[in-house]
Amino acid sequence: DRAENFLNEAYQVLSKQGSSERSEYLLRLLDRINVLLSPEQINSMGPKIAELIEADGIVMTSEMEIAKLIETRLKINISIDEDI
């Protein structure tokens, strides 16, 4: 729950920023997640992020780019069905 709330708040902030500001904010956010959450909590985020991306039935390129960055930075797997 804590991680999901954290990501929802981050999304609200990101939607109000320019591209370079978003990238910097996202990197800081992911670094903070690595500090605050346990490996188990971080690993449990992968399926939740995939569900969030797939929720509207459209997987956008920008969502895939962010998912790849999250995977790399948090060292988790996010399995997204791109053929929704």
Side-chain angles (χ1 to χ4, degrees):
D1 280 337
R2 191 168 121 195
E4 190 172 344
N5 290 336
F6 198 63
L7 284 175
N8 285 332
E9 289 175 20
Y11 179 75
Q12 291 175 357
V13 170
L14 288 171
S15 67
K16 298 174 187 172
Q17 296 180 337
S19 179
S20 63
E21 291 173 306
R22 273 191 295 250
S23 295
E24 182 61 33
Y25 181 82
L26 184 56
L27 292 174
R28 288 194 323 265
L29 170 69
L30 295 173
D31 289 344
R32 191 78 175 136
I33 288 171
N34 268 326
V35 169
L36 294 175
L37 301 180
S38 71
E40 294 80 20
Q41 290 172 310
I42 292 172
N43 285 330
S44 73
M45 290 172 53
K48 291 177 183 180
I49 294 170
E51 287 176 21
L52 182 63
I53 291 172
E54 295 171 347
D56 65 357
I58 302 169
V59 177
M60 300 177 69
T61 303
S62 60
E63 293 171 327
M64 290 301 297
E65 291 171 356
I66 292 171
K68 292 295 180 197
L69 178 61
I70 293 169
E71 284 182 318
T72 302
R73 202 70 171 208
L74 297 182
K75 299 177 178 80
I76 63 172
N77 184 36
I78 303 172
S79 298
I80 300 170
D81 181 2
E82 297 180 51
D83 298 322
I84 297 180

